[in-house]
Amino acid sequence: MLDVEAQEPPKGKWSTPPFDPRFPNQNQIRNCYQNFLDYHLCLKTRTRRGKSTQPCEYYFRVYHSLCPISWVESWNEQIKNGTFAGKI
Amino acid sequence: MAHAAQVGLQDATSPIMEELIIFHDHALMIIFLICFLVLYALFLTLTTKLTNTNISDAQEMETIWTILPAIILVLIALPSLRILYMTDEINDPSFTIKSIGHQWYWTYEYTDYGGLIFNSYMLPPLFLEPGDLRLLDVDNRVVLPVEAPVRMMITSQDVLHSWAVPTLGLKTDAIPGRLNQTTFTATRPGVYYGQCSEICGANHSFMPIVLELIPLKIFEMGPVFAL
């Protein structure tokens, strides 16, 4: 998992996750979870192909802004233990 | 905040709340008119000396008092739906904050830039300074910028809570396993209070919400963030 500091954009560039038309309703849990999955999928795919993982930063910033950190920590713990239920 | 014995709504701090106050005045006026009409009719019925034992049907009156209420209901429904859809408008937010309910305090996460996470507990009565508001003031307020659309993501770590700030026209349930989104734009700086609005146990009345809205320029200077 890449270091958090390395993911930080330069000041003034990143504002906040934009409106995502895939998730227009009030319950944004899928928005948060999907971006978390997309980040890990992106990392896995690009690392496998030997490319830079810098474009995956977008997904990281979105889920970091939207998801409660306790959820993220527990998901990361599950990934480390190999018990994460999502497809990544 | 509300003052003692306040009956009406608090002054609006967001455009949606301004609309809601106007709608409330409109609906309440209709309600008062109907109530007074009915009370007057009742009064006349009870105090008249006239008698008529011959009334059979009154088709014209029946038609009027069916059509007129339908029209009145439409006049109430149209502004109501207009405001309902207004609250759902897509408004590109410039800032996202997460608010997580616990028993019995709130956790706020500012994770757009860096990671500022803090708890917000009600000030116990013994810790109040002179001038502080009992049952309303907290140790760490939620500092936000004025005139910037803010997106609040609200959830709970344990039981149901509800994050409410009346002056902004906000009340969103904090439900475990769900991440509710609400957006608002504040129009004036100040300190605004709200209270947990879903019964959540012994200290449900003792987990208030305090927003401190400051000008955008000062907010951008970063007094909030320990970066």
Side-chain angles (χ1 to χ4, degrees), chain A residues 8 11 14-19 26-29 32 64-71, chain B residues 90 93-96 98 109 111-114 117 151 153 155 157 177-181:
Chain A
E8 303 265 10
K11 285 275 182 321
W14 171 253
S15 51
T16 208
F19 168 70
Q26 190 181 34
N27 188 7
Q28 293 286 295
I29 193 170
C32 139
H64 196 64
S65 279
L66 294 179
C67 302
I69 297 300
S70 55
W71 295 1
Chain B
I90 300 165
S94 41
F95 202 69
T96 300
K98 289 165 254 175
E109 296 182 6
T111 44
D112 278 343
Y113 309 89
I117 302 176
R151 179 206 262 134
M153 308 294 284
T155 185
Q157 201 74 333
R178 195 180 159 97
L179 192 58
N180 278 335
Q181 173 182 281

Side-chain angles (χ1 to χ4, degrees), chain B residues 133-145:
Chain B
L133 299 167
R134 190 180 74 94
L135 305 186
L136 283 176
D137 267 317
V138 297
D139 51 2
N140 301 314
R141 296 172 176 166
V142 187
V143 181
L144 290 171

Side-chain angles (χ1 to χ4, degrees), chain B:
Chain B
M1 53 155 279
H3 57 78
Q6 177 166 339
V7 174
L9 298 166
Q10 296 179 29
D11 288 342
T13 308
S14 78
I16 301 279
M17 191 58 195
E18 288 168 21
E19 296 284 345
L20 282 170
I21 290 174
I22 295 167
F23 172 70
H24 172 263
D25 292 345
H26 165 74
L28 194 61
M29 181 54 78
I30 293 176
I31 290 169
F32 281 158
L33 287 173
I34 294 172
C35 281
F36 282 128
L37 182 66
V38 170
L39 283 171
Y40 180 58
L42 196 57
F43 172 73
L44 287 179
T45 317
L46 293 173
T47 55
T48 185
K49 297 277 189 297
L50 304 167
T51 55
N52 184 344
T53 51
N54 234 2
I55 302 175
S56 51
D57 54 10
Q59 303 288 20
E60 300 80 8
M61 194 158 63
E62 298 250 354
T63 313
I64 293 174
W65 74 28
T66 307
I67 301 288
L68 202 53
I71 295 174
I72 292 174
L73 286 175
V74 168
L75 286 179
I76 296 176
L78 290 179
S80 174
L81 289 171
R82 182 181 141 262
I83 298 175
L84 182 66
Y85 280 85
M86 209 185 275
T87 59
D88 267 348
E89 272 173 2
I90 300 165
N91 66 341
D92 211 19
S94 41
F95 202 69
T96 300
I97 299 200
K98 289 165 254 175
S99 161
I100 296 147
H102 303 262
Q103 282 177 313
W104 288 279
Y105 61 98
W106 296 94
T107 301
Y108 297 105
E109 296 182 6
Y110 290 59
T111 44
D112 278 343
Y113 309 89
L116 172 66
I117 302 176
F118 60 89
N119 295 333
S120 179
Y121 283 85
M122 182 188 83
L123 287 181
L126 293 171
F127 286 73
L128 290 172
E129 304 280 317
D132 282 347
L133 299 167
R134 190 180 74 94
L135 305 186
L136 283 176
D137 267 317
V138 297
D139 51 2
N140 301 314
R141 296 172 176 166
V142 187
V143 181
L144 290 171
V146 179
E147 284 168 6
V150 174
R151 179 206 262 134
M152 289 292 312
M153 308 294 284
I154 298 161
T155 185
S156 165
Q157 201 74 333
D158 37 47
V159 299
L160 294 181
H161 300 272
S162 186
W163 198 85
V165 182
T167 186
L168 289 164
L170 295 176
K171 185 180 290 170
T172 308
D173 282 355
I175 300 168
R178 195 180 159 97
L179 192 58
N180 278 335
Q181 173 182 281
T182 189
T183 52
F184 67 90
T185 307
T187 51
R188 52 200 177 100
V191 179
Y192 304 106
Y193 296 87
Q195 293 175 292
C196 177
S197 299
E198 185 68 40
I199 186 84
C200 53
N203 288 349
H204 155 67
S205 317
F206 309 115
M207 48 182 291
I209 296 130
V210 185
L211 298 187
E212 184 174 326
L213 294 168
I214 59 179
L216 188 54
K217 285 207 178 68
I218 301 178
F219 185 81
E220 279 174 344
M221 280 162 27
V224 187
F225 306 109
L227 281 173

Side-chain angles (χ1 to χ4, degrees), chain A:
Chain A
M1 175 80 182
L2 293 179
D3 183 35
V4 173
E5 273 66 40
Q7 306 288 333
E8 303 265 10
K11 285 275 182 321
K13 266 188 148 181
W14 171 253
S15 51
T16 208
F19 168 70
D20 191 339
R22 297 177 298 167
F23 313 104
N25 297 323
Q26 190 181 34
N27 188 7
Q28 293 286 295
I29 193 170
R30 195 71 207 177
N31 193 353
C32 139
Y33 188 62
Q34 194 60 51
N35 280 287
F36 182 80
L37 293 179
D38 289 345
Y39 173 68
H40 285 281
L41 270 169
C42 173
L43 275 189
K44 188 169 110 177
T45 317
R46 293 191 75 93
T47 321
R48 198 184 66 223
R49 293 183 190 165
K51 294 187 187 163
S52 142
T53 52
Q54 206 265 351
C56 305
E57 248 182 67
Y58 174 79
Y59 298 119
F60 175 84
R61 291 201 301 264
V62 173
Y63 88 68
H64 196 64
S65 279
L66 294 179
C67 302
I69 297 300
S70 55
W71 295 1
V72 174
E73 281 168 1
S74 94
W75 290 335
N76 286 334
E77 190 66 36
Q78 287 172 7
I79 292 175
K80 212 164 61 171
N81 296 337
T83 55
F84 185 65
K87 263 169 119 176
I88 51 167

